[in-house]
Amino acid sequence: MKISVFTVLFKDRSIHQTFRICADLGVDGVELYGREPHLSEETSAARVEEIKALSKEYGLPVIGIGTYLGRFSTDNDADCQRDVERLECFLEHAAELGCPLIRVGCGGPHAFRAHEYHFLKGAEWIRKCADRAAMYGCKLMIEIHNGSLVETVNDALRFLRLVDRDNVGLIHDAGNMAITDTDFGKSSIHQLKDHLFHVHVKDVARVPSSDVAGGFQNLTRHGMEHFQQRLLGEGDVDHRPVVEGLMEIGYTGYLSIESHAPLPDVDRARADIAALRKIIEEVSAKRANAR
């Protein structure tokens, strides 16, 4: 397993600063924030060449692009078609950068409030996206995310069955799944095994009030709840079972740091990278001793 950074952590910095920081942090790759000032559908060919040169200079492959496209289940058809066209711009960028994965959304509402037609419409448009992506040899990732049709493992597998495309898979995100209050441990990893394209890593905690640094509210099946973004290991999300499960299925992809803890960007990135490395070392040692 390799560690990457989702550059949303450095969304207020230039792409040049971001690559330099990520190299200093010692990660293995970058997942690009799919908006300016990093990479958007409007990024020029010349700037994509600059990003390609930065990737080569710092030895950091672009392993994914996290776009914010896709509210397909609730948008009107004209807006959905516009997002498909915008996706093609990202596909062109990805081909130039040698990037194999692009994240798209399926839309909402929350899975526990959604109707069958939401799933059917979302799947129809994701199929259109997948067929475009296939022409570029690219795979699409859908993140398991609170507030979307895909909040749990069961939701995710249901949606993928409707999409029925081999180049569409999932991002496992234990932080999001903890908000949804669904299992995010070893069992979830094993259930998703054949469809797991990528992993996000962050920590959150349920708190009495969101009136704290890093606080936010989210509607869950329990009602409106309060949460706080935390450093890895300081919240409610134990990533050890996640890493154990990934090792058990032979996952060889990346784990992307996505910390939103209320600290300066480099500080939270460094802290979460160190914490994740420690978890990987501990789980590896545990498995070695068990043999």
Side-chain angles (χ1 to χ4, degrees):
M1 285 184 290
K2 293 158 283 190
I3 298 176
S4 56
V5 167
F6 181 23
T7 66
V8 68
L9 269 74
F10 307 115
K11 65 181 181 180
D12 297 322
R13 297 180 183 266
S14 73
I15 193 64
H16 298 78
Q17 287 179 305
T18 296
F19 266 92
R20 185 169 62 251
I21 290 167
C22 288
D24 289 344
L25 290 169
V27 295
D28 305 302
V30 293
E31 177 186 354
L32 289 181
Y33 174 55
R35 287 179 177 166
E36 297 298 339
H38 293 186
L39 184 75
S40 74
E41 69 269 25
E42 297 176 353
T43 299
S44 68
R47 280 201 56 230
V48 172
E49 282 296 324
E50 288 182 15
I51 294 170
K52 185 176 180 180
L54 289 168
S55 175
K56 182 178 180 180
E57 176 184 352
Y58 289 107
L60 291 173
V62 177
I63 57 93
I65 302 171
T67 81
Y68 294 85
L69 301 177
R71 295 188 297 270
F72 296 117
S73 54
T74 53
D75 274 355
N76 61 56
D77 285 354
D79 286 341
C80 290
Q81 184 59 41
R82 274 192 288 272
D83 268 6
V84 174
E85 300 304 324
R86 292 168 69 196
L87 173 65
E88 185 126 23
C89 297
F90 280 108
L91 289 167
E92 291 171 358
H93 296 339
E96 184 63 29
L97 295 168
C99 170
L101 298 168
I102 293 180
R103 186 187 76 190
V104 294
C106 55
H110 297 72
F112 64 88
R113 305 177 81 185
H115 299 284
E116 181 68 11
Y117 67 81
H118 290 116
F119 282 88
L120 293 173
K121 183 176 182 183
E124 177 185 356
W125 283 98
I126 291 293
R127 275 196 297 275
K128 294 177 189 290
C129 292
D131 292 343
R132 290 280 183 107
M135 294 189 291
Y136 292 83
C138 194
K139 294 182 177 181
L140 300 181
M141 311 178 287
I142 297 173
E143 185 172 4
I144 300 180
H145 203 296
N146 47 298
S148 79
L149 296 179
V150 178
E151 291 192 309
T152 70
V153 167
N154 288 339
D155 299 330
L157 294 176
R158 173 188 180 187
F159 190 75
L160 288 185
R161 284 193 294 269
L162 291 171
V163 172
D164 192 28
R165 292 293 187 273
D166 290 341
N167 66 330
V168 179
L170 300 165
I171 301 174
H172 185 283
D173 190 313
N176 292 339
M177 296 165 80
I179 293 170
T180 302
D181 194 22
T182 188
D183 174 61
F184 56 78
K186 284 203 293 184
S187 175
S188 70
I189 299 294
H190 282 276
Q191 287 177 272
L192 297 174
K193 176 181 177 180
D194 296 332
H195 308 287
L196 195 58
F197 286 3
H198 191 45
V199 178
H200 278 176
V201 176
K202 61 175 175 281
D203 207 342
V204 299
R206 275 177 167 76
V207 292
S209 169
S210 53
D211 189 22
V212 292
F216 63 99
Q217 297 182 65
N218 203 290
L219 179 66
T220 75
R221 59 191 174 88
H222 304 300
M224 190 62 70
E225 294 192 273
H226 304 276
F227 301 89
Q228 184 183 29
Q229 304 281 3
R230 299 274 182 89
L231 289 176
L232 195 61
E234 296 183 3
D236 298 336
V237 190
D238 183 0
H239 280 81
R240 285 169 182 79
V242 175
V243 172
E244 288 175 8
L246 292 171
M247 288 183 180
E248 287 173 2
I249 68 169
Y251 179 76
T252 58
Y254 288 82
L255 289 79
S256 264
I257 296 294
E258 194 195 5
S259 175
H260 300 289
L263 291 170
D265 53 9
V266 176
D267 292 344
R268 56 189 151 103
R270 183 178 291 112
D272 272 19
I273 290 165
L276 179 57
R277 284 185 174 139
K278 183 177 180 182
I279 290 170
I280 292 171
E281 290 170 3
E282 289 175 353
V283 173
S284 296
K286 178 182 175 183
R287 285 169 55 81
N289 291 335
R291 292 193 185 105

